Amino acid sequence: MPEKTAEDRSDADIDKLTNLNRRYTFGSFVVGSNNELAHAASLAVTKNFGKVYNPLFIYGGVGLGKTHLLQAVGNQAISDQQDKKVQYIYSERLTADIVESLKNKTIEEMKQRYAKLDLLIIDDIQFIAGKERTQDIFFSTFNELYGKNKQIVLSSDRPPSAIPALEERLRSRFEGGMIADIGIPDYETRLAILKMKCKEKNFEVDENSLAYIASNIQKNIRELEGALNRIIAFSQIYNKTP
């Protein structure tokens, strides 16, 4: 039987029903001064769905851990209560769903599907800005869930007040919950993230290499992991430490 590729293993981690990646948990999230508030708010939400911080709106730059936190909320919800109906979706996918439903005249069925959720998680919500029909249908879905004390968690690359072409009624809803930002991690947090990644990959990298990466890549956690992956690949291909 052929060995699974990294892509195959990654696909196996994703739950087809919820779209959640099982690897994104609170246990694998490194907390630092840059993300303490967002982390604490996300944890608080899992203890009392729909009652505190609803909606929870997390914003920050690319590659800083927003997606990890959002999916950790979803995974924790299912871990605590397996019958919870959870859906994680990118806002572009939401728009595509709406377009498809409008074309097939199944928009009411789509609305009902979302209305049955206990937890709706939407990543990169800023991309619905300027899309009038998407905003209209999402506003209706938001109100339906909110009215039933169902939890909504959103992420964006900027706060609601800075999203252009976002309808005022949606902006008001977003600002009515908890807004938490994720900033650029400090050196110690970057180093801790690298060590966590080494542990996950079951691969040992010397302290000097880790310190070098943490010092030179400062603004993007994905780039940190990419540099670490290159070191691991070098070591495995050439069978030596770089």
Side-chain angles (χ1 to χ4, degrees):
M1 190 172 177
E3 186 182 349
K4 282 188 175 182
T5 65
E7 188 174 349
D8 290 334
R9 286 192 294 272
S10 177
D11 286 345
D13 287 329
I14 296 172
D15 184 291
K16 299 296 187 288
L17 189 64
T18 63
N19 293 326
L20 291 168
N21 188 321
R22 298 178 184 91
R23 293 188 303 112
Y24 291 132
T25 66
F26 286 113
S28 61
F29 187 83
V30 176
V31 182
S33 58
N34 64 307
N35 58 28
E36 277 176 327
L37 178 61
H39 176 264
S42 299
L43 260 181
V45 157
T46 66
K47 308 295 182 194
N48 207 348
F49 278 101
K51 305 289 175 56
V52 295
Y53 308 148
N54 196 21
L56 173 60
F57 190 103
I58 296 173
Y59 74 92
V62 173
L64 294 180
K66 300 187 300 296
T67 295
H68 190 141
L69 262 188
L70 261 62
Q71 296 211 33
V73 171
N75 282 318
Q76 188 67 45
I78 293 169
S79 173
D80 291 344
Q81 203 172 330
Q82 291 186 352
D83 62 349
K84 273 226 184 300
K85 294 182 178 66
V86 178
Q87 184 77 56
Y88 166 84
I89 190 169
Y90 283 100
S91 65
E92 295 100 321
R93 182 66 251 173
L94 175 66
T95 298
D97 275 358
I98 289 170
V99 169
E100 190 69 16
S101 297
L102 288 169
K103 186 179 79 175
N104 296 328
K105 298 185 169 66
T106 56
I107 198 70
E108 288 307 316
E109 288 93 322
M110 193 208 89
K111 282 183 178 179
Q112 287 170 21
R113 193 170 74 247
Y114 279 100
K116 290 176 183 173
L117 295 172
D118 296 301
L119 170 60
L120 174 60
I121 305 168
I122 302 184
D123 216 342
D124 286 332
I125 194 67
Q126 73 272 10
F127 289 122
I128 71 168
K131 297 167 182 169
E132 292 86 357
R133 197 73 176 107
T134 298
Q135 291 188 73
D136 185 48
I137 291 168
F138 177 64
F139 182 75
S140 168
T141 300
F142 184 105
N143 287 339
E144 177 87 15
L145 293 173
Y146 186 84
K148 294 189 292 190
N149 288 328
K150 304 302 184 182
Q151 183 67 48
I152 302 153
V153 181
L154 309 166
S155 83
S156 173
D157 62 353
R158 66 200 79 179
S161 59
I163 301 176
L166 181 67
E167 289 181 5
E168 191 54 44
R169 57 181 180 167
L170 277 175
R171 196 188 317 277
S172 174
R173 291 291 191 277
F174 296 166
E175 291 175 343
M178 172 68 172
I179 299 176
D181 72 309
I182 296 182
I184 294 169
D186 56 28
Y187 171 80
E188 290 78 11
T189 304
R190 297 196 298 272
L191 193 56
I193 289 167
L194 287 169
K195 289 183 177 181
M196 173 75 80
K197 295 295 181 186
C198 285
K199 188 177 176 183
E200 285 176 6
K201 297 170 191 296
N202 196 27
F203 195 92
E204 201 169 311
V205 177
D206 67 282
E207 287 284 338
N208 286 340
S209 295
L210 294 180
Y212 181 83
I213 298 171
S215 297
N216 286 277
I217 298 177
Q218 300 176 5
K219 296 182 179 180
N220 191 312
I221 293 167
R222 288 194 201 120
E223 287 180 15
L224 275 180
E225 186 171 8
L228 181 63
N229 286 339
R230 287 196 292 280
I231 284 183
I232 292 172
F234 180 94
S235 301
Q236 291 174 334
I237 292 167
Y238 298 105
N239 197 28
K240 64 179 181 179
T241 304

